[in-house]
Structure formats: structure tokens, C-alpha cells
Amino acid sequence: MLKTPLPLGSTIGILGDGQLGRMLSQAASRLGFKVVTFGPDVGSPAAQVSLASKVAAYTDEAVLARLAESCDVITFEFENVPAASLDFLTGKGAVVAPSSKALRITQDRILEKDFARNAGVWTVDYFPIDSVEDLGNAISEHGPGFESALLKTRREGYDGKGQIWIRKGDDIEKAYASLGHRPAILESKASFTREISVVAARGWNGEIKTFPIGENHHVGGILSTTLAPAQVSEAVTAEAHEIARKVLEGLDYVGVLAVELFVLPGDELVLNEIAPRVHNSGHWTQDGCLCDQFEQHIRAVAGWPLGDTSARCTVEMTNLLGADILDWPTLAAEPQSRLYVYGKDEPRAGRKMGHINRIK
Ligand code: AMP
């Protein structure tokens, strides 16, 4: 735990080396911190903009021990970092935020939903699935009116990967096999009218700041656009902010997280998932807010005062996937917009290569 703010020039370690690590590193360096990134890839997006980078597996204890020694605080940008690596760092005397407890819960869709319900946050109905028999039983529990439900792996799913819709009459053995017989969760279908997310931060001293709500559109399970601040009622905004507070306090969380929510008819909110890190749906804050989500995360883990989260304008963030990035000359010439490029070599289909924030 940090009792006093990190002094100017301190060193922050980041586990994970993708675009989120890159933008965290840039925000940290703006505040005068030095950044060491840690991840498996040489020349990664984060390594390109950091003082130093350690290229190793997340389980490499020798390299983790050196990281613990050289950093004043260590954080992460990737939720599939092993929670045991965070425990190892803490055991070596490192200050780590968010905690391994928060990571463990949010890495597992069942623990996450159990946590949310205990914290007083509503979720869809869900059933743990460890066999085809469990799947059959869970579908029976839906009753004769069953139309469809979503089968997801418990762990390591992202961008719509590791999920399959099960419809009435489907071959459930085949469906479960398509997820590699891994531990899974069957979720009842949320008949939502909109998808929104709330990005929020909590400091070591319990201070909380919440960004305005973003409205998200997915294509093929991958976030395509976020429009923020979203056109939602004051009641929805207040409820979403309250959900973020319950999650942050329930996890005793330090740093930025995102809560993805389904808006049901009648404006009832249901939690979909918690991302224990800065989030793609918060990229709009880079141009929409005085303090963006990346700076806010650095401030939170460094024990600095949290920044101003109020919106300055409306922004539409669009992800640039795969070959979209090849349009950069046109995108870079657009007025009222700002282009972000992640420095990845290969524009493979569906790969997040950059994003553009358009002021509306
Ligand atoms: P996830 O990886 O859990 O965020 O799921 C990706 C996307 O699938 C979400 O943004 C929703 O569009 C959709 N989705 C996930 N869970 C459900 C659900 N229980 N009911 C309906 N749609 C869902």
C-alpha cells in the first residue's frame, strides 16, 4: 500500500506490452515518471515508448524479481497476467495495484458474477458448466420457453472469442466441444436495448472518480465504436456510477477499471463484465476529458490526486482494425479528429491497430 504520493521521477512497472501499456506509458512519462514494461514480445507497442522493457514470460520469476527491485509501483494492462505473478511480486516487497485478489475475481466469469451479486449489482442468470450434462441441465432449468443462451469459457475470453450461442434444438455436445471442453458459463440472453460502459478510478485513500458514460457498438463481438458522453437519462448515469462505486469498493480496488453494462427495456442495468484495467471504451477520454483514463490510472496507482473527469466535448471513438489502418493518410487529414496508431507491424484481420477520436 502507498501511504504517500510517489515522488517525481519514480519508476512504474507495467505488466503487459500492448496498446494499453503504450498509452499508459505515454501518460506516465507526461507526469515525469519512468516506465519499465514487461511482456513476451520484442519491440511491442508498449516497449517502443518506454524507458526500458523486459521481454520474458509472465511467469519468469528471475525477471519478475528484478522488476520488483527496480519499480516503485507495479501495475498491469492485461487481465490474463497470472494472478500468482502479482503475488510473487508482492512477496518480493513490490507495491502492486490493482491487487491480485481483484485480478483473480475478474479473470473468472463465475467468480465475477458471484462477486457482483454479493455487491448488490444485478447480472443475467448464469450456470457453471463443467460437462455436457451440466449444459443440458442448465438449458432444462430455463424451462420450455428456452430460445437461446450464450456459452462462454470461464476464463481467457476476450473480443467475443471463446463464446458460442446455443439455440433451441442445437447439438449441445458439439457446442461444448467447440470451446475445447473447458470450464464454462452458460448465460441467459440479455435482451438489451443498448450497451454502455462506465470507466472509473479509485485511489489508495479510497477517493473515487467516474468518467461520463460511453455507449458501445460491437461488430462480430469486437468493440467498433464508443460515443460519449452517451445520451442516457440522469437516472441511468447515476445508477451506472453507483454500480462502479460498488464494484470499486467491493474489490478494494486501486486504479482504473471499466464496467460493461446492458441497458434493458425500462432502463434497468445489468452487469456484463468488469475489465480490471484501462479499457477500449475509455479511449474517447483522451480527447473528451481533461484527464484521460490512462493518466487517471497512473495517478491512482501512484497515490496522486485523481484528475478531473468532466467531459469537454462529445467524442466518437472508432477502432481501426486490421487493414483499416492503411487509410491513415485520409484519417490523418480529417478535421476535428485525432488519430492514434499502436505501432504494430502486421495489420491482421480483426487486430486492433489504432483508433480515431472524432469530436462531434
Ligand atoms: P463479452 O466478451 O462477455 O463482453 O461479450 C461480447 C459481446 O457479446 C457483448 O458486448 C454483447 O454484445 C454480447 N453478449 C455477451 N453476453 C451476453 C448475454 N448474456 N446476452 C446477450 N448478449 C451478450
Side-chain angles (χ1 to χ4, degrees):
M1 148 141 206
L2 274 192
K3 292 211 169 65
T4 52
L6 281 189
L8 297 180
S10 300
T11 301
I12 298 180
I14 302 175
L15 298 181
D17 56 9
Q19 64 270 14
L20 301 178
R22 179 184 181 93
M23 293 183 275
L24 281 169
S25 182
Q26 289 169 323
S29 87
R30 244 194 79 241
L31 295 181
F33 294 113
K34 301 180 185 77
V35 173
V36 180
T37 60
F38 184 119
D41 297 320
V42 178
S44 65
Q48 288 170 26
V49 301
S50 301
L51 174 71
S53 56
K54 299 195 184 296
V55 179
Y58 294 118
T59 48
D60 187 326
E61 295 192 346
V63 185
L64 286 170
R66 287 209 296 283
L67 192 73
E69 219 165 84
S70 58
C71 295
D72 299 295
V73 70
I74 300 178
T75 186
F76 55 88
E77 59 98 73
F78 177 54
E79 70 267 38
N80 292 327
V81 165
S85 298
L86 300 190
D87 290 333
F88 178 83
L89 290 167
T90 310
K92 290 283 166 195
V95 178
V96 175
S99 69
S100 65
K101 177 191 149 202
L103 180 61
R104 267 198 185 88
I105 291 172
T106 53
Q107 275 177 338
D108 182 314
R109 292 186 191 274
I110 297 204
L111 297 185
E112 181 175 84
K113 285 192 169 56
D114 288 348
F115 158 78
R117 290 203 169 189
N118 285 332
V121 176
W122 202 238
T123 71
V124 292
D125 287 335
Y126 57 101
F127 305 82
I129 305 293
D130 291 308
S131 63
V132 176
E133 198 183 21
D134 286 349
L135 186 52
N137 291 339
I139 291 171
S140 306
E141 276 193 50
H142 275 86
F146 173 80
E147 287 297 333
S148 60
L150 192 50
L151 183 67
K152 303 180 179 178
T153 54
R154 271 179 83 150
R155 302 168 62 89
E156 290 176 5
Y158 65 95
D159 286 347
K161 295 194 180 79
Q163 315 194 348
I164 181 167
W165 279 102
I166 311 250
R167 296 191 173 79
K168 196 175 183 170
D170 277 358
D171 179 342
I172 60 171
E173 249 174 65
K174 206 164 136 197
Y176 189 50
S178 76
L179 298 187
H181 297 280
R182 279 182 288 169
I185 177 174
L186 186 72
E187 294 185 8
S188 296
K189 180 179 178 180
S191 298
F192 56 82
T193 52
R194 309 162 85 175
E195 288 190 82
I196 61 172
S197 57
V198 51
V199 176
R202 182 167 176 271
W204 290 100
N205 61 1
E207 180 190 12
I208 288 178
K209 286 249 170 107
T210 309
F211 287 99
I213 310 299
E215 175 161 1
N216 303 318
H217 291 279
H218 295 82
V219 176
I222 306 182
L223 183 68
S224 172
T225 61
T226 299
L227 183 71
Q231 298 286 314
V232 289
S233 67
E234 273 178 32
V236 165
T237 300
E239 173 68 9
H241 285 184
E242 179 61 9
I243 289 173
R245 188 191 62 74
K246 286 179 178 165
V247 170
L248 287 164
E249 289 181 347
L251 292 173
D252 195 17
Y253 196 89
V254 175
V256 163
L257 57 64
V259 183
E260 294 180 39
L261 299 164
F262 296 134
V263 184
L264 303 186
D267 277 357
E268 204 185 330
L269 298 185
V270 166
L271 179 141
N272 173 28
E273 64 179 0
I274 303 165
R277 52 173 171 77
V278 285
H279 192 249
N280 197 167
S281 70
H283 291 1
W284 73 275
T285 61
Q286 291 171 305
D287 296 291
C289 301
L290 269 184
C291 175
D292 67 40
Q293 64 163 349
F294 301 100
E295 177 175 336
Q296 193 74 305
H297 183 73
I298 296 298
R299 284 171 173 257
V301 300
W304 281 33
L306 297 182
D308 187 338
T309 52
S310 49
R312 296 190 290 172
C313 55
T314 299
V315 175
E316 186 181 60
M317 186 285 312
T318 300
N319 271 333
L320 302 172
L321 303 177
D324 294 349
I325 199 72
L326 304 177
D327 280 340
W328 66 264
T330 315
L331 297 165
E334 270 189 38
Q336 293 289 303
S337 69
R338 207 142 174 244
L339 178 64
Y340 296 80
V341 181
Y342 304 152
K344 299 180 186 176
D345 293 338
E346 243 187 289
R348 288 195 299 269
R351 193 175 193 204
K352 290 177 179 167
M353 302 299 292
H355 66 272
I356 185 164
N357 281 340
R358 297 185 169 104
I359 311 291
K360 293 286 158 186

